[in-house]
């Protein structure tokens, strides 16, 4: 008898999968779940308007390290906005089909809910926040 791992590998082979929701023409899920419109909103700078310093990928990889002592210097709203865009940002929406983000998903049809525990960001009161894009 195969181990559970071997069974999983066999049963999840591409040849065993049915048609995807996208190829079946099922509607695209919402880009984000609803948010409580009665709560205050903190508008962040648009990522496209934030100027970032150029650093080549090799330098970033070579200088990357894990730390457990964090700086007391607060993040700026620009830094927070850019980090959120890098991890959850929407790059392009193909209405009714897919949403392209900076993070991959099968079929680009995922909904995200991102919650932030803000402790040290200039201009934002510490607390729990939900990150979302206000519809245009």
């Amino acid at each position: 008898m195969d181990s559970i791992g071997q069974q999983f590998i066999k049963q999840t082979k591409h040849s065993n999968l049915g048609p995807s929701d996208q190829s079946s023409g099922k509607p695209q899920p919402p880009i984000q779940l609803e948010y409580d419109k009665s709560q205050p909103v903190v508008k962040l700078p648009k990522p496209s308007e934030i100027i970032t310093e150029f650093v080549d990928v090799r330098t970033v990889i070579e200088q990357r390290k894990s730390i457990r002592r964090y700086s007391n210097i607060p993040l700026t709203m620009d830094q927070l906005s850019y980090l959120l865009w890098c991890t959850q940002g929407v790059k392009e929406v193909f209405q009714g089909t897919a949403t392209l983000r900076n993070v991959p998903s099968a079929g680009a049809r995922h909904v995200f809910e991102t919650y932030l525990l803000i402790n040290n960001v200039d201009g934002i009161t510490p607390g729990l926040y939900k990150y979302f894009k206000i519809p245009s």
Side-chain angles (χ1 to χ4, degrees):
M1 176 173 254
D2 290 339
S3 71
I4 189 73
Q6 291 167 325
Q7 290 177 44
F8 174 80
I9 290 169
K10 286 179 183 175
Q11 292 175 12
T12 57
K13 284 186 176 181
H14 192 273
S15 59
N16 293 331
L17 301 177
S20 69
D21 287 350
Q22 193 172 14
S23 66
S24 297
K26 291 185 179 176
Q28 176 185 10
I31 293 173
Q32 62 192 6
L33 299 176
E34 284 296 313
Y35 59 94
D36 185 348
K37 294 175 178 75
S38 71
Q39 294 297 311
V41 172
V42 176
K43 290 190 177 185
L44 296 173
K46 291 180 181 178
S48 61
E49 296 172 0
I50 297 170
I51 297 171
T52 58
E53 176 185 337
F54 174 80
V55 182
D56 70 277
V57 171
R58 183 183 185 119
T59 300
V60 170
I61 292 170
E62 289 176 351
Q63 292 181 358
R64 193 219 111 9
K65 61 183 176 181
S66 295
I67 59 169
R68 297 296 182 263
R69 279 191 209 112
Y70 303 105
S71 171
N72 290 327
I73 300 170
L75 284 177
T76 66
M77 299 244 297
D78 279 0
Q79 290 168 327
L80 176 64
S81 179
Y82 193 72
L83 284 170
L84 287 167
W85 181 80
C86 287
T87 59
Q88 301 298 326
V90 173
K91 294 193 312 187
E92 191 171 359
V93 176
F94 296 97
Q95 206 56 46
T97 308
T99 301
L100 300 184
R101 295 181 184 260
N102 296 320
V103 292
S105 82
R109 297 170 66 85
H110 53 313
V111 177
F112 273 109
E113 281 197 285
T114 303
Y115 292 87
L116 305 162
L117 179 59
I118 300 287
N119 286 314
N120 198 8
V121 177
D122 269 340
I124 302 179
T125 303
L128 185 63
Y129 292 82
K130 181 177 181 177
Y131 176 61
F132 61 90
K133 180 175 175 26
I134 297 174
S136 311

